[in-house]
Amino acid sequence: MLGPGREYKLGEGRPHPATTMTQLNSLLLARAVHVIASTLWAGGAVLIAAFLMPAIRAAGPAGAVVMKQLTVVRKLPAILAISGIVAIVSGGYLYWTDSSGLQSAWMRSGAGSAHTLGAIAASLAAAVGLAINIPAANRMGAALRQLEESRPAATAHRPHKREQGRARLTQRV
């Protein structure tokens, strides 16, 4: 507690090892990066598993177009992989800093045990994503590209000249 007339000194009254403004700024930046990357990574995975994949399966052949857009054009698997790597690297920095260089006393504490469990879960999720999900998404994208290339150049869905003229007219209006 600070009494009257006393100035606050960084690190006073708290066990955190950050002792300079530069260290505190890097710690706050790492926390912000970790939270944003982790949210994107986990949220994207939940969104895909719980909502997108069931909807794509239900859409039948039309789902292939959506899947191609997600995997080939928008590169969602790569974005999720990058966000996962950033989350793990920033989390490792925070883990190292919070534990004062992997001090076993901190790692056995309640907070240390919770952080260790989170690190193990994130590492397993990353391993599954990198070893199984991304290669599967890449194979799916390649299959979609190959299917698209195997279609004849003149498709049955090509609009007639009259329909093209109507489309241009509605675009002008």
Side-chain angles (χ1 to χ4, degrees), residues 8 57 67 103 110 118 136 139-140 148:
Y8 176 77
R57 277 190 217 103
M67 201 62 197
Q103 296 294 315
R139 283 192 304 272
M140 193 177 308
E148 191 174 82

Side-chain angles (χ1 to χ4, degrees), residues 3 18 27 48 52 56 60-61 79 89 94-95 104 121 129 133-134 136 152 167-168:
L27 185 66
I48 289 168
L52 284 178
I56 288 169
I79 291 170
V89 169
L94 292 169
Y95 191 87
S104 62
N133 294 347
I134 290 177
R168 279 191 225 111

Side-chain angles (χ1 to χ4, degrees), residues 5 15 17 24 34 36-37 41 51 54 58 60 66 70 81 83 91 106 118-119 136 140-141 143 152-153 157 162:
L24 183 60
H34 182 69
I36 292 168
W41 184 33
F51 298 100
V66 174
L70 289 173
S83 64
W106 179 85
M140 193 177 308
H157 299 290
R162 192 172 88 187

Side-chain angles (χ1 to χ4, degrees), residues 141-165:
L144 290 170
R145 277 192 299 272
Q146 188 177 30
L147 178 66
E148 191 174 82
E149 291 169 0
S150 68
R151 289 184 186 156
T155 63
H157 299 290
R158 176 179 269 166
H160 298 291
K161 289 188 185 251
R162 192 172 88 187
E163 292 170 336
Q164 288 175 345

